[in-house]
Amino acid sequence: MKIFYNAKFWHKATFDNDIKAILTDNGKILKLLTALPENTRDYELIDLRGNYVYPGFIDTHTHSFEGGLYSLMIDLGGAKTLQDVFDLIAEGSKDKGKFVFAWNFDEQKIAEGRFPTRAELNAVVRAKNLVLRRVDGHSCIINSFACYNILSLLGKPHCDEEIFKGFDNDRAVHWFHNNIASNLILKAYHAASQIALKGGFTTIHTMVGDANRSIGHYSLIQENLDDFGVDYVLYPQSFNIEAALEVGAKRIGGCILADGALGSFTAALYEPYNGRPIRGNLYQTDSYWYDFITRAHQHNLQVGVHCIGDKAITQINSVYMALANSDFKDLRHQLIHCELTDDALINHIKASGAVPVMQPMFDKLWGGDNGFYAQVLGHERAQSMNRFATMLSRGIKITGSSDWYITELDIVKSLDAAMNHHNPAEALTAAQAIDIYTKNAAWLSHDEKIKGQLLPGLLADFTVLNYDLGKPGADKRVLATIKEGALLYEDL
Ligand SMILES: [Zn+2]
Ligand SMILES: [Zn+2]
């Protein structure tokens, strides 16, 4: 048995000073102790040096395969010019085999303000497959070598189109992913697990599959689940209900797309984009979603769908609403991202019982008066983005996530973003911010009786931070991540 002591413990929405230690056995919390036992010889004592113990944090939406894989690949986040991009790719592609990924590209941060051309990419990587992916994942460009390899997949006669969006983007990227060997796939998940632990997470939900008909390497990961440090909650990210049922999945979906993204002007809006006569697009018809979600619901699968614009959120939530009325089941269907919502739509979500799976870091990166949201949506509508506090106040159980690799898998930054929303009316209190990454997050996967709080009988999953979230402080960091009583990451 182990005793974790000399710390403050987050218990029932506060740091409870009466709790002096936690006794664990076999990976579970046995007891919250108000004093250390007189005789401690029989216990393994773990001194947490006066720091702050939270329930192990849970990120409810990641693309960990891409995140882990990309951590092994080329990060263009630091590039300031196209020459930087070419240099990074040239250097990074040397040890990469036949498939080279470069990611985190943002033309708005590049002096030239544009994507590289295919000809420019060919000059850097001629005889390997290269994909360069935009920071939001919703567009990419590939070199000619790769393009000619996948022409039939794309259903195109030539490689004339430069930047791929929508289905072309998805097909191109998933083709790369599908051509990776099993050992590299497992390596990517191990890398992701390490990044998660370092970022303060003990559980992460992760999307597996091509967002079309394939559930990709789902079975491979399922068979190896015990080998990873973190708990992965797997989503067959696909429309293939039979395949999901065959592998025994409890859920289906993820970033299966109701619409695209604001950065590509493909998020579906009721009103046009700021200064542009376009409203984005719904990727599927109402009846398509009705049939798909209803069938999944009939098979007791929890459904998750990517929806960003108000029109897309309404489309998906309307199906959840119809099912809640006609055939209620406690499946906890998800509105992933759920970014643009006015009050009426929030009421509609409350009525359907759907769960918004949200990303505080989106506001951190793109909110604010001069932010990206204000540019593409106009100031007024930008106020209706990522409405964490309003949703919680209406009794909607939102959950927190990073959408990693889109934003960092880092609980310190995530909590900070949730509490410092650009719109003060949507900023969360410390207790609310913790809840969306612990209690609510555990509930989302029907694991509320297993994890998400520091309570006897639950898993001994803890995250140790060097600060009290409710108090201001500098140099905030993750000091330790403890999974089922085992210290898996430590920076004490
Ligand atoms: Zn996603
Ligand atoms: Zn998404």
Side-chain angles (χ1 to χ4, degrees):
M1 286 192 273
K2 294 180 183 176
I3 293 179
F4 294 86
Y5 75 108
N6 189 17
K8 311 257 191 309
F9 296 93
W10 183 261
H11 179 60
K12 298 194 174 162
T14 183
F15 280 110
D16 186 336
N17 286 323
D18 291 339
I19 299 170
K20 303 294 186 212
I22 291 187
L23 174 65
T24 71
D25 187 28
N26 262 329
K28 287 188 174 172
I29 299 172
L30 210 55
K31 216 173 166 190
L32 308 179
L33 304 175
T34 52
L36 282 183
E38 275 177 29
N39 187 344
T40 55
R41 248 183 325 180
D42 296 337
Y43 303 100
E44 185 186 336
L45 291 174
I46 294 120
D47 182 354
L48 297 173
R49 302 180 200 176
N51 289 297
Y52 298 84
V53 178
Y54 299 81
F57 289 109
I58 299 167
D59 190 308
T60 53
H61 184 82
T62 74
H63 299 268
S64 289
F65 169 54
E66 286 91 333
L69 182 67
Y70 294 176
S71 76
L72 307 169
M73 297 287 171
I74 303 164
D75 181 356
L76 299 176
K80 294 194 170 57
T81 64
L82 286 177
Q83 193 56 50
D84 291 348
V85 171
F86 304 143
D87 291 346
L88 284 164
I89 293 174
E91 182 59 32
S93 63
K94 283 181 189 162
D95 60 348
K96 291 297 187 293
K98 276 286 176 201
F99 291 88
V100 181
F101 294 78
W103 62 288
N104 213 2
F105 175 76
D106 187 349
E107 75 283 5
Q108 294 175 350
K109 288 189 189 160
I110 299 285
E112 291 88 341
R114 65 171 174 88
F115 272 68
T117 63
R118 179 164 294 131
E120 287 169 338
L121 292 182
N122 291 341
V124 185
V125 177
R126 184 164 293 279
K128 295 180 180 190
N129 300 289
L130 167 68
V131 65
L132 178 149
R133 228 182 159 181
R134 194 178 186 278
V135 59
D136 66 3
H138 285 270
S139 45
C140 74
I141 178 163
I142 63 180
N143 66 352
S144 292
F145 187 88
C147 198
Y148 285 109
N149 276 330
I150 61 170
L151 272 181
S152 60
L153 190 75
L154 294 169
K156 292 179 192 298
H158 310 290
C159 277
D160 41 13
E161 208 172 320
E162 293 269 313
I163 297 165
F164 289 169
K165 293 183 183 180
F167 287 119
D168 286 348
N169 171 58
D170 294 340
R171 291 206 180 109
V173 169
H174 288 298
W175 177 78
F176 275 82
H177 291 169
N178 288 339
N179 279 283
I180 291 169
S182 294
N183 64 347
L184 183 54
I185 293 171
L186 290 171
K187 215 169 134 187
Y189 279 88
H190 279 291
S193 173
Q194 290 306 314
I195 291 167
L197 292 167
K198 189 171 179 218
F201 296 97
T202 51
T203 299
I204 52 177
H205 294 219
T206 194
M207 311 303 127
V208 189
D210 69 355
N212 187 17
R213 295 296 300 169
S214 166
I215 63 167
H217 49 257
Y218 189 98
S219 294
L220 175 71
I221 302 310
Q222 194 172 35
E223 285 157 18
N224 289 277
L225 272 185
D226 292 344
D227 294 351
F228 304 112
V230 288
D231 282 346
Y232 281 117
V233 176
L234 302 180
Y235 291 60
Q237 183 179 249
S238 164
F239 289 100
N240 193 334
I241 291 172
E242 288 67 34
L245 293 172
E246 204 165 297
V247 295
K250 296 182 182 136
R251 54 189 67 80
I252 190 164
C255 280
I256 55 173
L257 305 178
D259 63 348
L262 295 167
S264 315
F265 303 101
T266 48
L269 313 178
Y270 280 118
E271 299 301 324
Y273 282 87
N274 189 32
R276 286 167 195 257
I278 50 170
R279 297 163 197 251
N281 29 355
L282 294 173
Y283 283 16
Q284 309 285 354
T285 62
D286 292 354
S287 67
Y288 180 90
W289 285 115
Y290 185 81
D291 293 346
F292 168 72
I293 296 171
T294 301
R295 225 152 57 75
H297 185 91
Q298 283 165 348
H299 286 288
N300 299 317
L301 292 170
Q302 177 185 31
V303 178
V305 179
H306 159 119
C307 42
I308 286 182
D310 47 5
K311 197 170 173 189
I313 298 165
T314 303
Q315 184 185 40
I316 301 305
N317 191 59
S318 298
V319 184
Y320 293 159
M321 181 81 136
L323 289 168
N325 288 330
S326 65
D327 180 26
F328 175 77
K329 292 177 183 176
D330 185 19
L331 293 173
R332 306 173 191 178
H333 296 317
Q334 307 178 11
L335 297 164
I336 295 166
H337 310 310
C338 198
E339 288 189 71
L340 178 59
T341 52
D342 64 13
D343 288 347
L345 183 49
I346 288 178
N347 288 337
H348 199 237
I349 293 167
K350 167 67 181 163
S352 78
V355 189
V357 174
M358 306 188 74
Q359 293 78 33
M361 281 299 288
F362 285 5
D363 172 75
K364 171 94 179 170
L365 293 171
W366 303 316
D369 284 347
N370 301 310
F372 168 70
Y373 289 148
Q375 285 166 34
V376 296
L377 297 172
H379 278 94
E380 197 184 329
R381 212 168 12 165
Q383 296 294 309
S384 297
M385 294 295 284
N386 304 306
R387 300 185 65 192
F388 315 134
T390 300
M391 290 194 189
L392 283 178
S393 75
R394 303 275 168 92
I396 298 169
K397 239 181 228 187
I398 70 170
T399 71
S401 64
S402 59
D403 206 13
W404 186 56
Y405 65 93
I406 305 296
T407 78
E408 281 176 78
L409 190 53
D410 180 331
I411 192 59
V412 172
K413 288 184 180 170
S414 300
L415 293 168
D416 189 62
M419 293 174 65
N420 295 288
H421 199 295
H422 282 94
N423 178 356
E426 301 302 344
L428 299 186
T429 65
Q432 288 175 321
I434 292 166
D435 275 359
I436 70 170
Y437 284 97
T438 56
K439 251 169 82 172
N440 292 11
W443 173 84
L444 181 67
S445 55
H446 296 259
D447 287 323
E448 67 271 24
K449 295 203 173 79
I450 299 170
K451 54 177 83 161
Q453 299 185 72
L454 302 183
L455 288 176
L458 272 56
L459 291 180
D461 289 357
F462 314 137
T463 305
V464 185
L465 304 181
N466 68 342
Y467 64 103
D468 174 347
L469 193 64
K471 297 189 177 141
D475 179 36
K476 300 173 176 180
R477 55 198 182 93
V478 177
L479 295 179
T481 307
I482 295 152
K483 181 81 190 87
E484 292 170 47
L487 197 56
L488 294 191
Y489 170 77
E490 184 186 2
D491 185 22
L492 274 168

